[in-house]
Amino acid sequence: MIGKKIFLRALEPEDLETVYEWENDTDNWEVSNTTAPFSKHILQRFIETSSQDIYVNRQLRLMVAEVATGKTVGMADVFDFDPAHRRAGVGILIAPDSRGQGYGLESILLVKKYLFEVVRVHQIFCNIMSNNIYSMHLFQKAGFEVCGCKREWMLTDSGFVDEMMLQCFAQ
């Protein structure tokens, strides 16, 4: 999927170092529910099998790259894909040095387009901690609506934080 500023592409073996760095950045663990580092071996195996069909893996990882340069600036995840109920979860990560340039919004819009038009899901969802104002705004700007709140769901260094569930339906 190609947009104005970015395009989504499949994982490639040369993405191993980037994925390793981002997955093991403890600043990202709170939003990804990660509690232990990933080994390069595990990530290499993931990359090798990620080319399989979303119907097989029930998930899909896409790299976000700039149209102008091809530079990888982030990742988009499709998870908990449920073909029986035609729904999937969505998450994105934009590298800190690439934030604030519109890549996040365009990534979400391209993933939505892919899931609604190609995979033909009925709905997509995301879970965002209530104190993550930037992500809440970003997903709402992309057409997601808050549909629920899991109170005191995530334990952070600051204490428990609510987790908001957002949904977006195919038109």
Side-chain angles (χ1 to χ4, degrees):
M1 303 293 298
I2 299 175
K4 292 179 182 175
K5 295 181 179 185
I6 56 103
F7 64 95
L8 303 176
R9 64 168 176 78
L11 276 166
E12 299 289 349
E14 54 269 17
D15 293 319
L16 178 61
E17 290 298 323
T18 302
V19 173
Y20 180 77
E21 176 187 337
W22 289 341
E23 290 287 0
N24 289 311
D25 181 346
T26 56
D27 289 341
N28 298 328
W29 285 11
E30 195 170 85
V31 296
S32 66
N33 271 337
T34 302
T35 57
F38 287 93
S39 71
K40 283 187 180 178
H41 175 73
I42 293 294
L43 292 172
Q44 183 175 4
R45 283 188 27 220
F46 176 77
I47 290 170
E48 289 167 358
T49 61
S50 69
S51 64
Q52 292 179 353
D53 193 288
I54 189 172
Y55 286 89
V56 173
N57 287 343
R58 302 290 196 251
Q59 65 179 355
L60 178 66
R61 167 77 53 90
L62 298 165
M63 301 307 284
V64 178
E66 291 178 328
V67 168
T69 66
K71 175 186 171 193
T72 302
V73 296
M75 298 184 292
D77 282 322
V78 177
F79 58 92
D80 291 346
F81 172 58
D82 185 337
H85 299 287
R86 294 178 45 209
R87 64 177 173 239
V90 175
I92 61 160
L93 179 141
I94 301 298
D97 64 343
S98 297
R99 293 179 185 156
Q101 299 177 53
Y103 298 148
L105 179 60
E106 192 167 1
S107 297
I108 297 167
L109 295 174
L110 288 175
V111 170
K112 276 179 57 174
K113 181 178 174 103
Y114 170 74
L115 289 172
F116 289 148
E117 295 179 10
V118 177
V119 183
R120 302 191 45 82
V121 299
H122 171 65
Q123 66 173 291
I124 54 180
F125 65 89
C126 64
N127 300 299
I128 303 172
M129 290 193 300
S130 61
N131 62 351
N132 189 340
I133 304 303
Y134 179 76
S135 288
M136 288 290 294
H137 174 73
L138 186 64
F139 275 85
Q140 287 175 316
K141 191 172 182 181
F144 286 73
E145 295 181 4
V146 174
C147 63
C149 174
K150 296 179 245 175
R151 297 195 55 222
E152 299 182 11
W153 195 254
M154 303 293 290
L155 178 59
T156 69
D157 292 340
S158 306
F160 284 97
V161 175
D162 295 348
E163 183 177 80
M164 309 306 290
M165 184 173 180
L166 291 80
Q167 289 175 293
C168 183
F169 291 87
Q171 304 301 327

